[in-house]
Amino acid sequence: MSKLKQAKQLIPMEKLGLFLSFACAIHCLAMPFIFFFAPYLIGSIAFSSVVEWMLVLLSFGLAAFVLILDFQKHRRLKPLYFLGIAFGFKLIEVALESKSYDWIFGVLLGLSVAYAYWVNYQHKTACTCKMKAS
C-alpha cells in the first residue's frame, strides 16, 4: 500500500481523535452543571471514573498514534509538545487527588489534545513534501 493511501486512511482516525478530545472537554465542562441541576445523575455511568479513564486513554492513545506517525513524516515537534502538555495536566490532576476542580484539568486536557491535532493539521496542509509510493 502506498504512503498516500495510508495517509488517506489516517484522516478518519484524526477526525475520531479530534472528536474524542472535544468529547472529553465537553464532558468535563458539563459535569459541574449536571452536578448542580441533576444530583441524581452523579452516580450514573456517564460520570463514572471508568468513563473518564476510557475517554482519556482512547484520546491519548489515538492522538499519540496519529501524531507520532505524522512526526515521522514531517519532523514537526509542536503537536507532540501539546500532547505532552495534556499528559502533564492529567498527571497534575491525579497527583492533586482533589475532586472539586478535576473538571478544570479535564477541560485543559481535552483542549490541549484538540490543539495538538489542529497544529498537526496546519503542518500537514502547509507541507510541500511529496509522498513516495512504497
Side-chain angles (χ1 to χ4, degrees), residues 41-61:
L41 289 176
I42 291 174
S44 74
I45 295 171
F47 295 104
S48 69
S49 62
V50 173
V51 172
E52 175 187 351
W53 279 104
M54 283 179 22
L55 278 171
V56 168
L57 292 175
L58 285 172
S59 181
F60 271 125

Side-chain angles (χ1 to χ4, degrees), residues 30-131:
M31 197 174 339
F33 296 108
I34 291 174
F35 283 171
F36 182 75
F37 292 112
Y40 60 92
L41 289 176
I42 291 174
S44 74
I45 295 171
F47 295 104
S48 69
S49 62
V50 173
V51 172
E52 175 187 351
W53 279 104
M54 283 179 22
L55 278 171
V56 168
L57 292 175
L58 285 172
S59 181
F60 271 125
L62 187 58
F65 178 73
V66 170
L67 297 177
I68 289 171
L69 284 179
D70 283 344
F71 170 75
Q72 291 173 344
K73 180 179 179 220
H74 301 285
R75 299 289 182 213
R76 302 285 186 169
L77 277 173
K78 194 173 180 182
L80 293 176
Y81 288 151
F82 287 104
L83 186 62
I85 289 170
F87 186 70
F89 284 138
K90 188 62 181 175
L91 288 178
I92 293 169
E93 175 192 346
V94 170
L96 291 178
E97 298 180 3
S98 175
K99 299 296 179 195
S100 62
Y101 46 82
D102 280 353
W103 66 274
I104 296 171
F105 289 105
V107 171
L108 291 172
L109 180 137
L111 292 176
S112 297
V113 173
Y115 190 69
Y117 276 114
W118 185 76
V119 169
N120 189 56
Y121 177 76
Q122 295 298 317
H123 288 312
K124 287 173 74 168
T125 57
C127 179
T128 58
C129 60
K130 302 290 183 201
M131 295 180 84

Side-chain angles (χ1 to χ4, degrees), residues 10-20 62 117:
L10 286 179
I11 291 173
M13 290 184 70
E14 287 179 331
K15 289 179 182 177
L16 176 63
L18 190 59
F19 170 77
L20 286 173
L62 187 58
Y117 276 114

